[in-house]
Every structure is written in C-alpha cells, then in structure tokens.
Amino acid sequence: MNAVYIEITDVCNLNCSFCPCGKANSSATSHSINKPREFMSTELFERCITESATVAENVYFHVLGEPTLHPGFGMFLKRLEQTKLKLNLTTNGTTIARTGKLILASPAARQVNFSTHAYAELSPEIAKRNLQDVLDFCKMANAVRPDLYINLRLWNVGDDASDTWNRAMISKVNEAFGRSSGSAEPSAQISLEHFCSRHKSFPVAGRIYLHQDSRFEWPELDESRAKSTAGSCRALDTHVAILHDGRVVACCLDHSGQITLGRIQEQSLAEILESPAAKSLREGFEKHELRHPLCQNCTFCKRFSK
C-alpha cells in the first residue's frame, strides 16, 4: 500500500460547488454535511500516524477539509519527521502565506497539491490574491526545496465554463516563471493546447507542474442514480482512509463513512485491512466486481479499465 489518507479535519474555509461541503441543500448528502465540523485530536492523530507507518510510505492530511486550518498542523508536521512517512499535502492554498515556511522547512513534506480550480468560484480579487500567494510559494520552493513536488491543479480544460479561469491562471503562471511564446523550450509559454486526455501534466519549472483532469462526482448512496456492478478500483490496494473521528474507510472518496471497515481506536490498521469486509471488497475489485452499493454508484470507478 502506498498511502493512508488521514482526514485531520473536515473544516474548510471555502464552499466549493464540487465538494460535498458545498452541497448543503442536497438531500443525498445532508446526513453527512449538516453536522458540526471537527478537528482530529492530537491523541487520535498519534494513533493514526503510528498505524499508518506499519502499512504505508506516504500520508495525505485530507479527505474533506482544509488541513492547514488545523491548530496542530505545524506540530503534526514535526511528528511526521520522526517517522519514515512522507506527506503529500492537498490544500486550497488560501493559507499558504502563513503556513508555507512550515511546509518548506519540513523534510517530511514530499509533495504539495494546490486545488487552484477552487478559485474559479471566488471573486476575481480574492482569486488573484490567492493565486499570487501560491505562485510566490512555488518560486520560493523552487529555490530552497527543489526536491519538493508541486502540482497546480486545474479542472475541465476544454470546457468553456471553466476555461475562462484556466486561461487567466495559466497566463499568471507564464508571467510568474518568465515563460514567453517566443522562448525556446523548456521555457516556452504554456497554453491550454498542451493538455489532452493523455497528457494531463505540463512542467513549469523544476518539479512544479500544471495538472489538469476532468471533474468528478463524489459517490453517494442514491437510489435514483444508475448503478453498475462491474468495475474496479484501487481502494485497499494503493490506499485506505481514516476519517477525523477514527473510522477507517476503504476509499479516499468515502467522506461520510459508508464503507466503514473499523475504528483505528479499537484495532490496528493491519487488522482492519485483513477483516472479512476489506478482503471481500478487495477480492471484488480484483474480479472486476463492485460489491458495495457506494461503489456501484461511483462514477470515479469508470476511470479504471479491466
């Protein structure tokens, strides 16, 4: 197994339409979003890290929520440095001006993914300020942490509704890193035409990349949606997730714990991964069978061919 997703908080300072937190009026998700947001306790985090180190090499501080909002974020980074685990951080980047130095100073930080597609739903002034903070971080990282991987994520390249923001953002990236259309490679100007279904990433500078992908729907138990029992997934193979309350779930998209396999407070992660429920799901994926109703409603599974 490559990674454990540890949801250190489901608190977020944005309300994006593509996130379950932003769908407060949806009856399909109301059971999981109309509840108090919480931060994982230090004691539970310690348990999660100890257990994660026995099965994986990497952790993410994310399922839902903005991890850098956790009051213990800096302390959690320090704790990771005492283990073999490396952090792949997914963030909306709105706090990077405050937390950036902590991240760059931590040898545990391996990769930072910025969800810059979230800025498309903000006012132009706020979006511009957030993007500038992210680009300032990128330039600093390129100078002092050239080993750090950074992904600037875009969604729906080729879709008119989102391409307005995508073009504006790419223009800012070109400007920030001195890329111009008249330059010779590798400093030539980046454009939307560089991206396609088979070429989703484009190098900006060093280990900094622009990455685009299609928008997906978070899976929900919904009887009105078309189901499919055929399909596969990398859940329980490449990753597993632990929600902020300690529930261990099979998939990093199961934000509401529909496929709860156990609780990290009560069992080791290795034991949970070898439970009958986990084994059945894993066997199903190997046989191209979607055995759980949540998986049968998941459109993300379609990305994995037989």
Side-chain angles (χ1 to χ4, degrees), residues 106-156:
S106 175
R110 174 188 174 273
Q111 179 171 307
V112 181
N113 305 312
F114 288 103
S115 301
T116 60
H117 48 274
Y119 302 164
E121 300 184 10
L122 302 177
S123 70
E125 296 78 13
I126 295 176
K128 182 179 179 180
R129 183 171 68 247
N130 288 337
L131 180 57
Q132 188 59 57
D133 287 344
V134 168
L135 294 177
D136 288 344
F137 173 85
C138 289
K139 288 188 283 187
M140 187 181 302
N142 202 37
V144 303
R145 281 291 308 274
D147 62 309
L148 184 68
Y149 289 94
I150 298 176
N151 286 320
L152 304 173
R153 290 178 169 174
L154 298 173
W155 268 4
N156 297 339

mmCIF file of all heavy atoms in Angstrom, residues 106-156:
data_model
loop_
_atom_site.group_PDB
_atom_site.id
_atom_site.type_symbol
_atom_site.label_atom_id
_atom_site.label_comp_id
_atom_site.label_asym_id
_atom_site.label_seq_id
_atom_site.Cartn_x
_atom_site.Cartn_y
_atom_site.Cartn_z
ATOM 1 N N SER A 106 9.964 21.485 6.491
ATOM 2 C CA SER A 106 9.752 20.119 6.947
ATOM 3 C C SER A 106 10.293 19.106 5.943
ATOM 4 O O SER A 106 9.796 19.021 4.807
ATOM 5 C CB SER A 106 8.272 19.842 7.181
ATOM 6 O OG SER A 106 8.064 18.488 7.523
ATOM 7 N N PRO A 107 11.278 18.298 6.333
ATOM 8 C CA PRO A 107 11.777 17.257 5.430
ATOM 9 C C PRO A 107 10.747 16.165 5.155
ATOM 10 O O PRO A 107 10.917 15.364 4.240
ATOM 11 C CB PRO A 107 12.995 16.696 6.179
ATOM 12 C CG PRO A 107 12.756 17.033 7.615
ATOM 13 C CD PRO A 107 12.009 18.319 7.612
ATOM 14 N N ALA A 108 9.679 16.133 5.957
ATOM 15 C CA ALA A 108 8.623 15.141 5.735
ATOM 16 C C ALA A 108 7.738 15.502 4.550
ATOM 17 O O ALA A 108 7.060 14.634 3.995
ATOM 18 C CB ALA A 108 7.761 14.990 6.989
ATOM 19 N N ALA A 109 7.731 16.770 4.162
ATOM 20 C CA ALA A 109 6.889 17.214 3.049
ATOM 21 C C ALA A 109 7.494 16.748 1.730
ATOM 22 O O ALA A 109 8.613 17.123 1.376
ATOM 23 C CB ALA A 109 6.743 18.721 3.058
ATOM 24 N N ARG A 110 6.753 15.924 1.007
ATOM 25 C CA ARG A 110 7.223 15.376 -0.270
ATOM 26 C C ARG A 110 6.570 16.065 -1.464
ATOM 27 O O ARG A 110 7.203 16.302 -2.479
ATOM 28 C CB ARG A 110 6.931 13.872 -0.333
ATOM 29 C CG ARG A 110 7.250 13.220 -1.668
ATOM 30 C CD ARG A 110 6.760 11.775 -1.743
ATOM 31 N NE ARG A 110 6.951 11.241 -3.085
ATOM 32 C CZ ARG A 110 6.076 11.371 -4.068
ATOM 33 N NH1 ARG A 110 4.933 12.028 -3.853
ATOM 34 N NH2 ARG A 110 6.321 10.858 -5.263
ATOM 35 N N GLN A 111 5.270 16.374 -1.321
ATOM 36 C CA GLN A 111 4.523 16.917 -2.453
ATOM 37 C C GLN A 111 3.413 17.823 -1.939
ATOM 38 O O GLN A 111 2.807 17.555 -0.894
ATOM 39 C CB GLN A 111 3.929 15.775 -3.279
ATOM 40 C CG GLN A 111 3.093 16.203 -4.484
ATOM 41 C CD GLN A 111 2.731 15.023 -5.358
ATOM 42 O OE1 GLN A 111 3.588 14.252 -5.781
ATOM 43 N NE2 GLN A 111 1.437 14.872 -5.638
ATOM 44 N N VAL A 112 3.128 18.891 -2.673
ATOM 45 C CA VAL A 112 2.018 19.792 -2.355
ATOM 46 C C VAL A 112 1.142 19.921 -3.589
ATOM 47 O O VAL A 112 1.622 20.270 -4.674
ATOM 48 C CB VAL A 112 2.507 21.189 -1.912
ATOM 49 C CG1 VAL A 112 1.315 22.081 -1.561
ATOM 50 C CG2 VAL A 112 3.452 21.084 -0.715
ATOM 51 N N ASN A 113 -0.139 19.617 -3.416
ATOM 52 C CA ASN A 113 -1.116 19.744 -4.495
ATOM 53 C C ASN A 113 -2.024 20.933 -4.191
ATOM 54 O O ASN A 113 -2.719 20.930 -3.174
ATOM 55 C CB ASN A 113 -1.965 18.475 -4.611
ATOM 56 C CG ASN A 113 -1.119 17.227 -4.779
ATOM 57 O OD1 ASN A 113 -0.212 17.191 -5.609
ATOM 58 N ND2 ASN A 113 -1.412 16.199 -3.997
ATOM 59 N N PHE A 114 -2.019 21.919 -5.060
ATOM 60 C CA PHE A 114 -2.873 23.089 -4.869
ATOM 61 C C PHE A 114 -4.134 22.960 -5.718
ATOM 62 O O PHE A 114 -4.060 22.809 -6.937
ATOM 63 C CB PHE A 114 -2.134 24.367 -5.269
ATOM 64 C CG PHE A 114 -1.053 24.782 -4.316
ATOM 65 C CD1 PHE A 114 0.280 24.563 -4.614
ATOM 66 C CD2 PHE A 114 -1.380 25.381 -3.108
ATOM 67 C CE1 PHE A 114 1.282 24.951 -3.736
ATOM 68 C CE2 PHE A 114 -0.392 25.782 -2.214
ATOM 69 C CZ PHE A 114 0.944 25.556 -2.528
ATOM 70 N N SER A 115 -5.293 23.016 -5.071
ATOM 71 C CA SER A 115 -6.578 22.914 -5.773
ATOM 72 C C SER A 115 -6.960 24.291 -6.315
ATOM 73 O O SER A 115 -7.917 24.920 -5.864
ATOM 74 C CB SER A 115 -7.656 22.381 -4.820
ATOM 75 O OG SER A 115 -7.307 21.111 -4.320
ATOM 76 N N THR A 116 -6.221 24.751 -7.321
ATOM 77 C CA THR A 116 -6.450 26.097 -7.835
ATOM 78 C C THR A 116 -7.754 26.213 -8.613
ATOM 79 O O THR A 116 -8.223 27.328 -8.873
ATOM 80 C CB THR A 116 -5.285 26.537 -8.738
ATOM 81 O OG1 THR A 116 -5.163 25.634 -9.832
ATOM 82 C CG2 THR A 116 -3.978 26.559 -7.954
ATOM 83 N N HIS A 117 -8.358 25.071 -8.991
ATOM 84 C CA HIS A 117 -9.669 25.136 -9.652
ATOM 85 C C HIS A 117 -10.732 25.716 -8.724
ATOM 86 O O HIS A 117 -11.766 26.199 -9.188
ATOM 87 C CB HIS A 117 -10.102 23.758 -10.155
ATOM 88 C CG HIS A 117 -9.953 22.661 -9.156
ATOM 89 N ND1 HIS A 117 -8.779 21.976 -8.981
ATOM 90 C CD2 HIS A 117 -10.827 22.124 -8.271
ATOM 91 C CE1 HIS A 117 -8.938 21.065 -8.038
ATOM 92 N NE2 HIS A 117 -10.164 21.136 -7.592
ATOM 93 N N ALA A 118 -10.467 25.696 -7.405
ATOM 94 C CA ALA A 118 -11.423 26.265 -6.449
ATOM 95 C C ALA A 118 -11.553 27.775 -6.609
ATOM 96 O O ALA A 118 -12.588 28.354 -6.273
ATOM 97 C CB ALA A 118 -10.992 25.935 -5.020
ATOM 98 N N TYR A 119 -10.507 28.418 -7.129
ATOM 99 C CA TYR A 119 -10.528 29.878 -7.238
ATOM 100 C C TYR A 119 -11.494 30.376 -8.303
ATOM 101 O O TYR A 119 -11.860 31.548 -8.307
ATOM 102 C CB TYR A 119 -9.122 30.398 -7.554
ATOM 103 C CG TYR A 119 -8.060 30.014 -6.543
ATOM 104 C CD1 TYR A 119 -6.717 30.129 -6.851
ATOM 105 C CD2 TYR A 119 -8.401 29.517 -5.288
ATOM 106 C CE1 TYR A 119 -5.731 29.771 -5.935
ATOM 107 C CE2 TYR A 119 -7.436 29.146 -4.371
ATOM 108 C CZ TYR A 119 -6.098 29.274 -4.709
ATOM 109 O OH TYR A 119 -5.136 28.913 -3.806
ATOM 110 N N ALA A 120 -11.907 29.489 -9.196
ATOM 111 C CA ALA A 120 -12.835 29.885 -10.249
ATOM 112 C C ALA A 120 -14.174 30.342 -9.682
ATOM 113 O O ALA A 120 -14.918 31.071 -10.346
ATOM 114 C CB ALA A 120 -13.049 28.732 -11.222
ATOM 115 N N GLU A 121 -14.472 29.924 -8.436
ATOM 116 C CA GLU A 121 -15.753 30.269 -7.819
ATOM 117 C C GLU A 121 -15.640 31.441 -6.847
ATOM 118 O O GLU A 121 -16.610 31.794 -6.186
ATOM 119 C CB GLU A 121 -16.325 29.037 -7.112
ATOM 120 C CG GLU A 121 -16.557 27.869 -8.050
ATOM 121 C CD GLU A 121 -17.203 26.678 -7.363
ATOM 122 O OE1 GLU A 121 -17.640 26.819 -6.207
ATOM 123 O OE2 GLU A 121 -17.272 25.603 -7.994
ATOM 124 N N LEU A 122 -14.451 32.036 -6.757
ATOM 125 C CA LEU A 122 -14.240 33.176 -5.872
ATOM 126 C C LEU A 122 -14.304 34.475 -6.666
ATOM 127 O O LEU A 122 -14.280 34.479 -7.898
ATOM 128 C CB LEU A 122 -12.872 33.058 -5.187
ATOM 129 C CG LEU A 122 -12.634 31.781 -4.366
ATOM 130 C CD1 LEU A 122 -11.210 31.789 -3.808
ATOM 131 C CD2 LEU A 122 -13.647 31.660 -3.240
ATOM 132 N N SER A 123 -14.374 35.588 -5.964
ATOM 133 C CA SER A 123 -14.349 36.882 -6.643
ATOM 134 C C SER A 123 -12.993 37.054 -7.313
ATOM 135 O O SER A 123 -11.987 36.507 -6.852
ATOM 136 C CB SER A 123 -14.574 38.016 -5.639
ATOM 137 O OG SER A 123 -13.448 38.155 -4.786
ATOM 138 N N PRO A 124 -12.919 37.802 -8.397
ATOM 139 C CA PRO A 124 -11.640 37.971 -9.104
ATOM 140 C C PRO A 124 -10.525 38.500 -8.208
ATOM 141 O O PRO A 124 -9.374 38.072 -8.336
ATOM 142 C CB PRO A 124 -11.991 38.968 -10.216
ATOM 143 C CG PRO A 124 -13.451 38.756 -10.463
ATOM 144 C CD PRO A 124 -14.032 38.462 -9.115
ATOM 145 N N GLU A 125 -10.859 39.405 -7.308
ATOM 146 C CA GLU A 125 -9.842 39.985 -6.435
ATOM 147 C C GLU A 125 -9.264 38.942 -5.482
ATOM 148 O O GLU A 125 -8.042 38.839 -5.313
ATOM 149 C CB GLU A 125 -10.436 41.149 -5.626
ATOM 150 C CG GLU A 125 -10.887 42.334 -6.453
ATOM 151 C CD GLU A 125 -12.225 42.101 -7.134
ATOM 152 O OE1 GLU A 125 -12.924 41.105 -6.766
ATOM 153 O OE2 GLU A 125 -12.567 42.877 -8.043
ATOM 154 N N ILE A 126 -10.141 38.149 -4.864
ATOM 155 C CA ILE A 126 -9.683 37.122 -3.921
ATOM 156 C C ILE A 126 -8.936 36.018 -4.659
ATOM 157 O O ILE A 126 -7.903 35.527 -4.195
ATOM 158 C CB ILE A 126 -10.869 36.551 -3.127
ATOM 159 C CG1 ILE A 126 -11.487 37.645 -2.241
ATOM 160 C CG2 ILE A 126 -10.431 35.366 -2.266
ATOM 161 C CD1 ILE A 126 -12.725 37.205 -1.494
ATOM 162 N N ALA A 127 -9.454 35.624 -5.818
ATOM 163 C CA ALA A 127 -8.796 34.582 -6.613
ATOM 164 C C ALA A 127 -7.392 35.017 -7.004
ATOM 165 O O ALA A 127 -6.430 34.240 -6.907
ATOM 166 C CB ALA A 127 -9.623 34.267 -7.851
ATOM 167 N N LYS A 128 -7.242 36.254 -7.418
ATOM 168 C CA LYS A 128 -5.936 36.778 -7.827
ATOM 169 C C LYS A 128 -4.966 36.788 -6.658
ATOM 170 O O LYS A 128 -3.796 36.416 -6.807
ATOM 171 C CB LYS A 128 -6.107 38.189 -8.394
ATOM 172 C CG LYS A 128 -4.815 38.810 -8.885
ATOM 173 C CD LYS A 128 -5.062 40.204 -9.445
ATOM 174 C CE LYS A 128 -3.763 40.852 -9.917
ATOM 175 N NZ LYS A 128 -4.005 42.215 -10.464
ATOM 176 N N ARG A 129 -5.452 37.198 -5.487
ATOM 177 C CA ARG A 129 -4.589 37.242 -4.305
ATOM 178 C C ARG A 129 -4.152 35.843 -3.890
ATOM 179 O O ARG A 129 -2.971 35.612 -3.591
ATOM 180 C CB ARG A 129 -5.309 37.937 -3.150
ATOM 181 C CG ARG A 129 -4.441 38.086 -1.903
ATOM 182 C CD ARG A 129 -5.077 38.960 -0.859
ATOM 183 N NE ARG A 129 -6.267 38.374 -0.267
ATOM 184 C CZ ARG A 129 -7.498 38.862 -0.427
ATOM 185 N NH1 ARG A 129 -7.713 39.939 -1.184
ATOM 186 N NH2 ARG A 129 -8.520 38.273 0.161
ATOM 187 N N ASN A 130 -5.096 34.904 -3.871
ATOM 188 C CA ASN A 130 -4.750 33.526 -3.502
ATOM 189 C C ASN A 130 -3.743 32.926 -4.472
ATOM 190 O O ASN A 130 -2.774 32.275 -4.061
ATOM 191 C CB ASN A 130 -6.006 32.652 -3.464
ATOM 192 C CG ASN A 130 -6.902 32.949 -2.282
ATOM 193 O OD1 ASN A 130 -6.457 33.471 -1.268
ATOM 194 N ND2 ASN A 130 -8.173 32.615 -2.409
ATOM 195 N N LEU A 131 -3.972 33.134 -5.756
ATOM 196 C CA LEU A 131 -3.068 32.579 -6.762
ATOM 197 C C LEU A 131 -1.677 33.186 -6.631
ATOM 198 O O LEU A 131 -0.669 32.480 -6.763
ATOM 199 C CB LEU A 131 -3.624 32.814 -8.160
ATOM 200 C CG LEU A 131 -2.765 32.266 -9.309
ATOM 201 C CD1 LEU A 131 -2.530 30.768 -9.160
ATOM 202 C CD2 LEU A 131 -3.413 32.565 -10.662
ATOM 203 N N GLN A 132 -1.604 34.475 -6.350
ATOM 204 C CA GLN A 132 -0.303 35.114 -6.190
ATOM 205 C C GLN A 132 0.455 34.524 -5.008
ATOM 206 O O GLN A 132 1.668 34.287 -5.083
ATOM 207 C CB GLN A 132 -0.459 36.627 -6.014
ATOM 208 C CG GLN A 132 0.865 37.382 -6.031
ATOM 209 C CD GLN A 132 1.623 37.171 -7.336
ATOM 210 O OE1 GLN A 132 1.099 37.451 -8.421
ATOM 211 N NE2 GLN A 132 2.855 36.661 -7.253
ATOM 212 N N ASP A 133 -0.257 34.267 -3.907
ATOM 213 C CA ASP A 133 0.382 33.634 -2.743
ATOM 214 C C ASP A 133 0.925 32.256 -3.101
ATOM 215 O O ASP A 133 2.025 31.873 -2.685
ATOM 216 C CB ASP A 133 -0.622 33.511 -1.585
ATOM 217 C CG ASP A 133 -0.929 34.841 -0.915
ATOM 218 O OD1 ASP A 133 -0.162 35.801 -1.118
ATOM 219 O OD2 ASP A 133 -1.944 34.904 -0.194
ATOM 220 N N VAL A 134 0.149 31.503 -3.881
ATOM 221 C CA VAL A 134 0.575 30.159 -4.291
ATOM 222 C C VAL A 134 1.804 30.240 -5.195
ATOM 223 O O VAL A 134 2.771 29.480 -5.023
ATOM 224 C CB VAL A 134 -0.575 29.424 -5.010
ATOM 225 C CG1 VAL A 134 -0.063 28.159 -5.709
ATOM 226 C CG2 VAL A 134 -1.672 29.064 -4.016
ATOM 227 N N LEU A 135 1.794 31.165 -6.136
ATOM 228 C CA LEU A 135 2.930 31.298 -7.051
ATOM 229 C C LEU A 135 4.177 31.790 -6.323
ATOM 230 O O LEU A 135 5.301 31.369 -6.644
ATOM 231 C CB LEU A 135 2.568 32.249 -8.201
ATOM 232 C CG LEU A 135 1.477 31.732 -9.143
ATOM 233 C CD1 LEU A 135 1.147 32.775 -10.204
ATOM 234 C CD2 LEU A 135 1.903 30.425 -9.804
ATOM 235 N N ASP A 136 4.002 32.652 -5.327
ATOM 236 C CA ASP A 136 5.141 33.085 -4.508
ATOM 237 C C ASP A 136 5.752 31.893 -3.776
ATOM 238 O O ASP A 136 6.979 31.761 -3.686
ATOM 239 C CB ASP A 136 4.708 34.148 -3.498
ATOM 240 C CG ASP A 136 4.402 35.492 -4.148
ATOM 241 O OD1 ASP A 136 4.801 35.695 -5.315
ATOM 242 O OD2 ASP A 136 3.760 36.334 -3.493
ATOM 243 N N PHE A 137 4.881 31.013 -3.267
ATOM 244 C CA PHE A 137 5.353 29.800 -2.597
ATOM 245 C C PHE A 137 6.110 28.914 -3.580
ATOM 246 O O PHE A 137 7.170 28.356 -3.256
ATOM 247 C CB PHE A 137 4.167 29.041 -2.002
ATOM 248 C CG PHE A 137 4.531 27.690 -1.446
ATOM 249 C CD1 PHE A 137 5.012 27.554 -0.153
ATOM 250 C CD2 PHE A 137 4.393 26.541 -2.225
ATOM 251 C CE1 PHE A 137 5.355 26.308 0.365
ATOM 252 C CE2 PHE A 137 4.732 25.289 -1.722
ATOM 253 C CZ PHE A 137 5.217 25.184 -0.423
ATOM 254 N N CYS A 138 5.569 28.770 -4.774
ATOM 255 C CA CYS A 138 6.209 27.925 -5.788
ATOM 256 C C CYS A 138 7.613 28.421 -6.112
ATOM 257 O O CYS A 138 8.559 27.617 -6.222
ATOM 258 C CB CYS A 138 5.362 27.901 -7.057
ATOM 259 S SG CYS A 138 3.821 26.977 -6.922
ATOM 260 N N LYS A 139 7.763 29.730 -6.268
ATOM 261 C CA LYS A 139 9.074 30.275 -6.594
ATOM 262 C C LYS A 139 10.051 30.089 -5.442
ATOM 263 O O LYS A 139 11.234 29.787 -5.656
ATOM 264 C CB LYS A 139 8.938 31.747 -6.978
ATOM 265 C CG LYS A 139 8.284 31.953 -8.337
ATOM 266 C CD LYS A 139 8.323 33.387 -8.796
ATOM 267 C CE LYS A 139 7.307 34.240 -8.097
ATOM 268 N NZ LYS A 139 7.250 35.609 -8.671
ATOM 269 N N MET A 140 9.552 30.239 -4.212
ATOM 270 C CA MET A 140 10.404 30.019 -3.056
ATOM 271 C C MET A 140 10.808 28.554 -2.958
ATOM 272 O O MET A 140 11.967 28.221 -2.691
ATOM 273 C CB MET A 140 9.684 30.452 -1.767
ATOM 274 C CG MET A 140 10.560 30.407 -0.527
ATOM 275 S SD MET A 140 9.658 30.884 0.980
ATOM 276 C CE MET A 140 9.105 32.525 0.519
ATOM 277 N N ALA A 141 9.839 27.662 -3.195
ATOM 278 C CA ALA A 141 10.126 26.232 -3.140
ATOM 279 C C ALA A 141 11.142 25.837 -4.202
ATOM 280 O O ALA A 141 12.031 25.011 -3.956
ATOM 281 C CB ALA A 141 8.839 25.430 -3.327
ATOM 282 N N ASN A 142 11.029 26.415 -5.386
ATOM 283 C CA ASN A 142 11.953 26.094 -6.457
ATOM 284 C C ASN A 142 13.386 26.476 -6.094
ATOM 285 O O ASN A 142 14.343 25.836 -6.536
ATOM 286 C CB ASN A 142 11.534 26.820 -7.743
ATOM 287 C CG ASN A 142 12.076 26.165 -8.984
ATOM 288 O OD1 ASN A 142 12.168 24.938 -9.067
ATOM 289 N ND2 ASN A 142 12.445 26.968 -9.973
ATOM 290 N N ALA A 143 13.510 27.471 -5.223
ATOM 291 C CA ALA A 143 14.835 27.938 -4.822
ATOM 292 C C ALA A 143 15.396 27.164 -3.638
ATOM 293 O O ALA A 143 16.579 26.808 -3.624
ATOM 294 C CB ALA A 143 14.776 29.431 -4.495
ATOM 295 N N VAL A 144 14.552 26.913 -2.626
ATOM 296 C CA VAL A 144 15.066 26.319 -1.374
ATOM 297 C C VAL A 144 14.700 24.858 -1.186
ATOM 298 O O VAL A 144 15.326 24.162 -0.372
ATOM 299 C CB VAL A 144 14.577 27.125 -0.145
ATOM 300 C CG1 VAL A 144 14.995 28.575 -0.256
ATOM 301 C CG2 VAL A 144 13.059 27.015 0.037
ATOM 302 N N ARG A 145 13.679 24.352 -1.916
ATOM 303 C CA ARG A 145 13.290 22.947 -1.819
ATOM 304 C C ARG A 145 13.075 22.373 -3.217
ATOM 305 O O ARG A 145 11.955 21.984 -3.590
ATOM 306 C CB ARG A 145 12.008 22.800 -0.996
ATOM 307 C CG ARG A 145 12.181 22.865 0.526
ATOM 308 C CD ARG A 145 12.920 21.632 1.089
ATOM 309 N NE ARG A 145 12.334 20.379 0.678
ATOM 310 C CZ ARG A 145 11.311 19.779 1.322
ATOM 311 N NH1 ARG A 145 10.805 20.328 2.396
ATOM 312 N NH2 ARG A 145 10.840 18.617 0.886
ATOM 313 N N PRO A 146 14.134 22.304 -4.032
ATOM 314 C CA PRO A 146 13.963 21.797 -5.404
ATOM 315 C C PRO A 146 13.518 20.349 -5.457
ATOM 316 O O PRO A 146 13.106 19.855 -6.505
ATOM 317 C CB PRO A 146 15.362 21.975 -6.017
ATOM 318 C CG PRO A 146 16.290 21.994 -4.845
ATOM 319 C CD PRO A 146 15.523 22.674 -3.739
ATOM 320 N N ASP A 147 13.590 19.633 -4.313
ATOM 321 C CA ASP A 147 13.136 18.237 -4.264
ATOM 322 C C ASP A 147 11.638 18.119 -4.065
ATOM 323 O O ASP A 147 11.079 17.034 -4.199
ATOM 324 C CB ASP A 147 13.836 17.507 -3.115
ATOM 325 C CG ASP A 147 13.500 18.123 -1.760
ATOM 326 O OD1 ASP A 147 13.643 19.367 -1.611
ATOM 327 O OD2 ASP A 147 13.100 17.382 -0.842
ATOM 328 N N LEU A 148 10.963 19.225 -3.737
ATOM 329 C CA LEU A 148 9.534 19.201 -3.427
ATOM 330 C C LEU A 148 8.709 19.214 -4.707
ATOM 331 O O LEU A 148 8.855 20.102 -5.552
ATOM 332 C CB LEU A 148 9.164 20.412 -2.566
ATOM 333 C CG LEU A 148 7.721 20.496 -2.057
ATOM 334 C CD1 LEU A 148 7.440 19.395 -1.032
ATOM 335 C CD2 LEU A 148 7.442 21.875 -1.439
ATOM 336 N N TYR A 149 7.835 18.224 -4.858
ATOM 337 C CA TYR A 149 6.919 18.189 -5.991
ATOM 338 C C TYR A 149 5.723 19.104 -5.714
ATOM 339 O O TYR A 149 5.164 19.099 -4.615
ATOM 340 C CB TYR A 149 6.411 16.766 -6.244
ATOM 341 C CG TYR A 149 7.448 15.826 -6.791
ATOM 342 C CD1 TYR A 149 8.191 15.006 -5.946
ATOM 343 C CD2 TYR A 149 7.683 15.750 -8.165
ATOM 344 C CE1 TYR A 149 9.144 14.127 -6.450
ATOM 345 C CE2 TYR A 149 8.642 14.879 -8.682
ATOM 346 C CZ TYR A 149 9.362 14.069 -7.806
ATOM 347 O OH TYR A 149 10.307 13.213 -8.313
ATOM 348 N N ILE A 150 5.345 19.874 -6.729
ATOM 349 C CA ILE A 150 4.192 20.773 -6.602
ATOM 350 C C ILE A 150 3.303 20.608 -7.824
ATOM 351 O O ILE A 150 3.776 20.675 -8.966
ATOM 352 C CB ILE A 150 4.629 22.245 -6.475
ATOM 353 C CG1 ILE A 150 5.480 22.449 -5.217
ATOM 354 C CG2 ILE A 150 3.412 23.167 -6.446
ATOM 355 C CD1 ILE A 150 6.026 23.853 -5.064
ATOM 356 N N ASN A 151 2.018 20.368 -7.582
ATOM 357 C CA ASN A 151 1.021 20.295 -8.651
ATOM 358 C C ASN A 151 0.046 21.449 -8.516
ATOM 359 O O ASN A 151 -0.565 21.635 -7.455
ATOM 360 C CB ASN A 151 0.242 18.977 -8.594
ATOM 361 C CG ASN A 151 1.056 17.799 -9.071
ATOM 362 O OD1 ASN A 151 1.796 17.903 -10.034
ATOM 363 N ND2 ASN A 151 0.921 16.669 -8.400
ATOM 364 N N LEU A 152 -0.102 22.220 -9.577
ATOM 365 C CA LEU A 152 -1.121 23.268 -9.651
ATOM 366 C C LEU A 152 -2.282 22.671 -10.435
ATOM 367 O O LEU A 152 -2.191 22.499 -11.655
ATOM 368 C CB LEU A 152 -0.568 24.513 -10.349
ATOM 369 C CG LEU A 152 0.702 25.112 -9.738
ATOM 370 C CD1 LEU A 152 1.239 26.236 -10.612
ATOM 371 C CD2 LEU A 152 0.420 25.616 -8.329
ATOM 372 N N ARG A 153 -3.359 22.358 -9.744
ATOM 373 C CA ARG A 153 -4.428 21.574 -10.359
ATOM 374 C C ARG A 153 -5.501 22.442 -10.998
ATOM 375 O O ARG A 153 -5.990 23.405 -10.409
ATOM 376 C CB ARG A 153 -5.075 20.665 -9.307
ATOM 377 C CG ARG A 153 -4.166 19.534 -8.858
ATOM 378 C CD ARG A 153 -4.811 18.687 -7.793
ATOM 379 N NE ARG A 153 -4.058 17.463 -7.542
ATOM 380 C CZ ARG A 153 -4.343 16.606 -6.575
ATOM 381 N NH1 ARG A 153 -5.378 16.820 -5.780
ATOM 382 N NH2 ARG A 153 -3.606 15.522 -6.411
ATOM 383 N N LEU A 154 -5.867 22.049 -12.201
ATOM 384 C CA LEU A 154 -6.977 22.647 -12.944
ATOM 385 C C LEU A 154 -7.986 21.554 -13.254
ATOM 386 O O LEU A 154 -7.646 20.382 -13.318
ATOM 387 C CB LEU A 154 -6.491 23.250 -14.260
ATOM 388 C CG LEU A 154 -5.482 24.388 -14.201
ATOM 389 C CD1 LEU A 154 -5.013 24.723 -15.605
ATOM 390 C CD2 LEU A 154 -6.100 25.607 -13.548
ATOM 391 N N TRP A 155 -9.229 21.975 -13.485
ATOM 392 C CA TRP A 155 -10.255 21.016 -13.882
ATOM 393 C C TRP A 155 -10.891 21.448 -15.186
ATOM 394 O O TRP A 155 -10.989 22.638 -15.507
ATOM 395 C CB TRP A 155 -11.353 20.936 -12.809
ATOM 396 C CG TRP A 155 -11.086 19.873 -11.799
ATOM 397 C CD1 TRP A 155 -9.989 19.067 -11.706
ATOM 398 C CD2 TRP A 155 -11.928 19.509 -10.706
ATOM 399 N NE1 TRP A 155 -10.093 18.214 -10.634
ATOM 400 C CE2 TRP A 155 -11.274 18.461 -9.997
ATOM 401 C CE3 TRP A 155 -13.162 19.952 -10.251
ATOM 402 C CZ2 TRP A 155 -11.811 17.856 -8.874
ATOM 403 C CZ3 TRP A 155 -13.706 19.359 -9.131
ATOM 404 C CH2 TRP A 155 -13.044 18.316 -8.445
ATOM 405 N N ASN A 156 -11.352 20.418 -15.903
ATOM 406 C CA ASN A 156 -12.202 20.629 -17.080
ATOM 407 C C ASN A 156 -11.569 21.511 -18.139
ATOM 408 O O ASN A 156 -12.210 22.387 -18.704
ATOM 409 C CB ASN A 156 -13.553 21.248 -16.659
ATOM 410 C CG ASN A 156 -14.333 20.325 -15.758
ATOM 411 O OD1 ASN A 156 -14.093 19.133 -15.739
ATOM 412 N ND2 ASN A 156 -15.243 20.889 -14.997
#
